[in-house]
Amino acid sequence: MIELKTPAEISAMRAAGAVVAAALAAVRAAATVGTTLLELDDVARGVLAEHGAGSSFLGYRPQFAPTPFPAVLCTSLNDAIVHGIPDRTRLSDGDLLSIDFGAHVDGWHGDAAMSFVVGTPDPTDTALVEASERALAAGIAAAVPGNRMGDIAHAIGVVAREAGYGIPPDFGGHGIGRAMHESPSVPNEGDPGRGMRLREGLVLAIEPMVHKGGRDPYYVDDDGWTLRTRDGSRAAHSEHTVAITADGPVILTA
């Protein structure tokens, strides 16, 4: 079932979005050479506590997962595409890190992600991150009433493919609101003019995932959560929670 939000409900979702934005900013600032991924998770937990918010990720268990997620932050390093579990790994100069975070406030969820290079960036990693951000911006621009879901998917896919990057199949964005994951699914590649019609009040987590390999396959790590590129190429992930309104798309996690 697809739930459309009222303007008042969209306004209420901004509180969760603000917590998500604050946590991502704090984690990025803390992600320096030598910092462990678990220490970054602690930073995110501190932001939740400071704002009296709950974690959308901690204890979450979708159908594909063998165990509940054990952290509040996803930390996907280098060839990890998404869903990386924080551990004692220390960040090294040149690591490509994607961080994904969700929070809920008064029953409303927000979800966003960003990728960046720790320390000295390789130009090819910078280009990959920038492509994921351009793909996200293109997808958001297509999230207007009257368009179709395929228009969002096509906008994302064109940016990624024209840059020569792979797109992992089966994983993409989703509706969001009272639950972190709601209908509908938001593909990262598709045909324009196809799929459900976009309407005012629909709130989506739009999240391109791209990687340097020209091929798309991925595999699930032994932890049952982390998706990795099969060819070992590096990946980037960008995401915002976006409301579709009569005035255009509104980013709730900016």
Side-chain angles (χ1 to χ4, degrees), residues 13-28 44 47-48 51 53-57 72-73 99-105 108-114 176 180 239-241 252-254:
M13 291 184 70
R14 289 180 181 273
V19 175
V20 172
L24 291 180
V27 170
R28 180 167 187 170
V47 174
L48 287 173
H51 290 84
S55 170
S56 301
F57 291 3
V72 303
L73 183 71
I99 52 175
D100 190 358
F101 182 77
H104 57 84
V105 176
W108 295 105
H109 290 256
D111 187 9
M114 64 169 60
I176 185 169
M180 179 175 63
E239 178 184 16
H240 271 307
T241 296
L252 302 180
T253 46

Side-chain angles (χ1 to χ4, degrees), residues 16-207:
V19 175
V20 172
L24 291 180
V27 170
R28 180 167 187 170
T32 56
V33 173
T35 303
T36 71
L37 300 180
L38 273 176
E39 287 170 339
L40 296 183
D41 191 68
D42 286 340
V43 170
R45 289 173 188 262
V47 174
L48 287 173
E50 178 185 351
H51 290 84
S55 170
S56 301
F57 291 3
L58 183 64
Y60 182 66
R61 186 179 182 182
Q63 290 184 344
F64 68 81
T67 58
F69 195 75
V72 303
L73 183 71
C74 290
T75 52
S76 302
L77 195 62
N78 296 327
D79 66 329
I81 303 168
V82 69
H83 300 160
I85 297 175
D87 59 17
R88 297 186 185 281
T89 299
R90 292 190 180 277
L91 294 172
S92 298
D93 187 49
D95 275 342
L96 175 51
L97 179 63
S98 298
I99 52 175
D100 190 358
F101 182 77
H104 57 84
V105 176
D106 295 331
W108 295 105
H109 290 256
D111 187 9
M114 64 169 60
S115 297
F116 54 91
V117 178
V118 178
T120 309
D122 183 294
T124 63
D125 289 336
T126 300
L128 180 69
V129 171
E130 290 175 348
S132 75
E133 293 170 347
R134 291 198 312 273
L136 175 58
I140 292 172
V144 297
N147 270 0
R148 293 187 179 271
M149 189 64 73
D151 295 315
I152 296 177
H154 180 71
I156 292 170
V158 165
V159 171
R161 295 302 187 188
E162 287 185 349
Y165 297 133
I167 302 171
D170 309 323
F171 283 85
H174 50 88
I176 185 169
R178 288 288 185 184
M180 179 175 63
H181 285 138
E182 297 181 350
S183 295
S185 296
V186 185
N188 284 332
E189 192 167 29
D191 297 323
R194 303 292 295 273
M196 66 167 285
R197 184 80 66 181
L198 304 180
R199 299 170 58 190
E200 293 177 37
L202 186 62
V203 182
L204 304 173
I206 301 174
E207 51 178 323

